[in-house]
Amino acid sequence: MTAAAFAAVFKSNQMSIQLIESSEIGIVGVGEATLPHIRFFNRRIGLDERELMAKTQATFKLGIEFRDWARLGDSYIHPFGVFGGKMAGVPFHNYWLRQRAQGVDSDIESYSLPIMASRANKFAPPSEDHTSVMSTFGYAFQFDASLYAAYLRGVSEKRGVKRTDGKIVDARLRAEDGWVEAVKLADGSEIAGDFFIDCSGFRGLLIEQALKTGYDEWTKWLPCDRAAAMPCENFGPLTPYTRATAREAGWQWRIPLQHRTGNGYVYSSKFISDDEAASKLVSRVDGKPQADPRFLRFTAGRRKQTWNRNVVAIGLAGGFLEPLESTSIHLIQVAITTLIDYMSERTLSGDGAFDPRIVSAYNRWIEMEYDRVRDFLILHYHATEREDTPLWQYCRHMQIPDSLQHKMELFRRRARVVTYKDGLFLEPSWLAVYFGQRVMPDGYDPLADAVDGAQLAQRMNTVREQIAQAVTQMPTHEEFLAQYCPAEKIAMKAMA
Ligand SMILES: Cc1cc2nc3c(=O)[nH]c(=O)nc-3n(C[C@H](O)[C@H](O)[C@H](O)COP(=O)(O)OP(=O)(O)OC[C@H]3O[C@@H](n4cnc5c(N)ncnc54)[C@H](O)[C@@H]3O)c2cc1C
């Protein structure tokens, strides 16, 4: 992603880009669910959506279904779209809360088009007409991350990126200030550079092994530290959403692609063994398994600085929260686009050093992005009534960061969602999780009382009806995929 984006933005007379990767080591390969912002990234680097989807066996994603999080038997969807819409400048949920307080019990889901479409397994792209209910949502992809990486490698090479397949065994640092001058490969050769982007995954080859930058660990709030992943054959309709089901010691993902379904059990090694997690996963997937479970280990957190000297760490080398809410590829995108913006400025001072103000501004930005995502993820674990297993007992009673405590108190007391101009998850996302996980406010914004009761009832009905009608007219997800971006069957045969 980084090489493709840099090659799309900078001309060859501005920089020459070398991509070093090791086919012996390979990529982590999981990371199948994305967020809507990836469409803007793909567009910015000039990718054709239909081609990309066909090449990566992609399906559409309108949100994530969460099962069993607050209580066993619960199900809610975090949609990529709004609930209702603003009325008289007041956020919609206040009207819903007002009606609820007066005994009108309508389901919040019925005010969200992407939720209703997901429940019906329907998909159509959003409309550009802002007066249409079809403009109230966005979408992302569920794709094969290995095919996406291979596709972007091809795109990068066509744009002049020079690729070397080799294993880096060491880094040469400049004696006076510890800047990286070159990386050493297993065959004895060296590749020198002015600026290094460390995308080496959990290893953090340059940022940690060479520069010893340090890591802030968040396991006390995000206790899962392992995953067992396993694909299976598709079973039932292709859902236009990812599913995350809370389990005894973590949660299980289910991501349907055109050629297979990705599954994984993300768990805390304190509360379940690898063998037990793997056997639970195998017994709970929908279709016939296509491989044995593969284990991955991680530590939730982020690098203390993702830009250190002349190295910027992007991807797992920079940090990893955990797979819930599919934020990792998004954080890669944020890092790339932010870095490109900063690099486009006068980053280098006369003597070849980076302007320290740029470096610290970049680091602060990335920290903010990670910290805000972190709080949102912790909310899922903490806002539970479950006490049925030691993991959920721990999560329910754990101390949470002050920043999240503040957000939850404001919502409980005033039905207010802390909003910010930048950052990933905005009001509809927080609302979906608060309501979905039974965090209910004591009241609502009194301004919502300004609308006449009968008029309000009529407007709420209209919103629901417009959504229901729009969903009826949408094709099924499978019908839309078949005409928009059918994937090459070749990949299916290879898997069989
Ligand atoms: C269990 C799990 C589930 C996930 N699910 C999602 C999801 O649904 N959505 C999402 O957005 N993200 C998800 N992620 C995160 C996602 O997988 C990663 O963000 C993404 O794959 C990018 O990884 P990366 O490129 O940083 O690292 P990697 O994929 O590990 O790539 C590292 C690269 O560095 C190269 N390399 C490493 N060492 C050397 C060396 N010594 N010499 C030369 N080359 C080297 C490798 O060859 C490889 O090309 C998940 C992660 C995990 C662990």
Side-chain angles (χ1 to χ4, degrees):
M1 287 173 77
T2 309
F6 269 68
V9 172
F10 295 102
K11 302 272 170 296
S12 56
N13 63 350
Q14 292 176 295
M15 63 173 73
S16 75
I17 303 167
Q18 299 234 17
L19 167 66
I20 309 166
E21 55 186 346
S22 160
S23 48
E24 186 192 321
I25 295 173
I27 63 169
V28 67
V30 277
E32 301 171 323
T34 64
L35 293 172
H37 315 65
I38 194 164
R39 292 173 49 223
F40 307 111
F41 177 81
N42 288 341
R43 210 177 294 154
R44 185 166 177 192
I45 66 172
L47 305 185
D48 176 77
E49 180 171 299
R50 291 171 100 130
E51 181 181 285
L52 171 80
M53 288 190 72
K55 291 235 188 278
T56 59
Q57 301 282 340
T59 56
F60 289 97
K61 178 180 173 195
L62 291 170
I64 306 176
E65 183 198 12
F66 289 88
R67 287 192 178 175
D68 297 339
W69 283 78
R71 290 184 194 166
L72 287 166
D74 280 1
S75 160
Y76 74 94
I77 290 184
H78 165 198
F80 299 148
V82 299
F83 290 97
K86 275 203 171 166
M87 281 187 218
V90 178
F92 173 84
H93 66 280
N94 291 287
Y95 295 104
W96 180 73
L97 288 167
R98 172 185 153 182
Q99 283 208 315
R100 211 166 165 269
Q102 291 162 353
V104 181
D105 195 15
S106 63
D107 190 344
I108 188 82
E109 291 204 342
S110 60
Y111 299 100
S112 159
L113 190 139
I115 296 184
M116 298 309 278
S118 295
R119 296 280 185 210
N121 282 325
K122 300 275 194 97
F123 182 82
S127 159
E128 308 237 314
D129 171 5
H130 294 300
T131 60
S132 162
V133 71
M134 285 297 287
S135 69
T136 59
F137 67 101
Y139 65 87
F141 314 113
Q142 303 168 130
F143 59 32
D144 184 323
S146 304
L147 296 176
Y148 185 55
Y151 181 69
L152 291 182
R153 171 190 157 187
V155 169
S156 311
E157 285 184 303
K158 268 192 216 134
R159 290 179 179 158
V161 170
K162 185 165 171 261
R163 178 179 178 272
T164 304
D165 188 341
K167 194 166 163 188
I168 298 168
V169 288
D170 203 358
R172 179 155 54 79
L173 306 185
R174 201 156 69 191
E176 58 273 30
D177 53 13
W179 278 36
V180 177
E181 286 184 318
V183 289
K184 299 182 186 177
L185 304 191
D187 65 4
S189 62
E190 276 198 357
I191 297 181
D194 304 310
F195 189 65
F196 291 81
I197 303 185
D198 183 351
C199 302
S200 63
F202 290 127
R203 290 167 192 81
L205 273 183
L206 299 182
I207 197 77
E208 198 57 54
Q209 290 184 25
L211 300 187
K212 316 265 180 272
T213 304
Y215 195 75
D216 281 331
E217 193 190 317
W218 293 333
T219 317
K220 66 177 173 193
W221 295 311
L222 294 170
C224 291
D225 57 357
R226 294 200 187 169
M230 186 186 75
C232 74
E233 286 176 5
N234 284 340
F235 182 85
L238 283 184
T239 54
Y241 57 87
T242 293
R243 180 175 298 144
T245 306
R247 297 296 190 199
E248 53 284 279
W251 62 278
Q252 182 177 335
W253 81 74
R254 176 188 176 278
I255 306 176
L257 313 182
Q258 291 193 45
H259 63 326
R260 59 167 167 79
T261 297
N263 307 280
Y265 187 170
V266 180
Y267 56 95
S268 164
S269 58
K270 268 198 197 148
F271 298 105
I272 196 168
S273 69
D274 291 344
D275 286 349
E276 202 184 345
S279 77
K280 296 265 184 208
L281 176 69
V282 173
S283 69
R284 286 165 172 165
V285 297
D286 299 341
K288 194 170 149 217
Q290 290 184 321
D292 290 332
R294 186 162 71 95
F295 294 97
L296 297 120
R297 292 174 175 220
F298 56 87
T299 306
R302 66 161 156 66
R303 215 55 73 194
K304 285 187 190 296
Q305 289 169 277
T306 50
W307 187 338
N308 184 3
R309 289 169 246 188
N310 61 337
V311 173
V312 172
I314 293 186
L316 301 172
F320 184 54
L321 292 153
E322 71 132 280
L324 195 66
E325 292 283 1
S326 341
T327 56
S328 188
I329 293 176
H330 173 80
L331 289 168
I332 292 175
Q333 246 172 264
V334 170
I336 295 169
T337 46
T338 310
L339 187 59
I340 286 175
D341 288 345
Y342 283 112
M343 301 277 291
S344 322
E345 294 177 20
R346 285 181 63 82
T347 308
L348 289 174
S349 60
D351 58 0
F354 293 104
D355 183 334
R357 287 164 300 195
I358 293 278
V359 176
S360 68
Y362 175 87
N363 279 328
R364 272 203 311 275
W365 188 273
I366 299 299
E367 270 170 34
M368 176 211 65
E369 293 276 358
Y370 269 84
D371 293 0
R372 287 184 175 166
V373 171
R374 179 199 67 189
D375 280 5
F376 188 61
L377 298 190
I378 298 171
L379 174 68
H380 296 65
Y381 283 96
H382 182 61
T384 184
E385 296 175 8
R386 286 184 63 168
E387 298 256 15
D388 53 304
T389 67
L391 172 96
W392 294 107
Q393 283 162 15
Y394 170 78
C395 292
R396 187 174 183 187
H397 300 290
M398 71 185 168
Q399 282 276 338
I400 55 174
D402 292 346
S403 47
L404 176 59
Q405 188 74 41
H406 166 71
K407 290 183 184 99
M408 291 182 74
E409 273 168 23
L410 202 64
F411 186 69
R412 281 206 173 102
R413 302 236 172 101
R414 317 273 314 186
R416 262 193 178 274
V417 175
V418 172
T419 48
Y420 19 74
K421 196 164 110 322
D422 303 297
L424 175 53
F425 294 110
L426 304 177
E427 187 173 83
S429 300
W430 286 88
L431 287 174
V433 180
Y434 281 141
F435 291 140
Q437 298 202 199
R438 299 172 180 269
V439 180
M440 297 307 286
D442 298 334
Y444 54 86
D445 187 336
L447 286 177
D449 283 329
V451 179
D452 167 74
Q455 215 184 343
L456 177 63
Q458 196 192 357
R459 285 171 81 170
M460 302 286 279
N461 276 342
T462 309
V463 176
R464 279 206 310 270
E465 277 163 19
Q466 281 177 343
I467 289 174
Q469 204 181 355
V471 170
T472 313
Q473 286 164 6
M474 290 163 86
T476 67
H477 182 214
E478 281 171 19
E479 283 163 355
F480 191 82
L481 284 171
Q483 59 92 8
Y484 186 76
C485 55
E488 292 161 24
K489 296 289 174 212
I490 237 164
M492 278 244 302
K493 280 192 203 126
M495 291 298 302

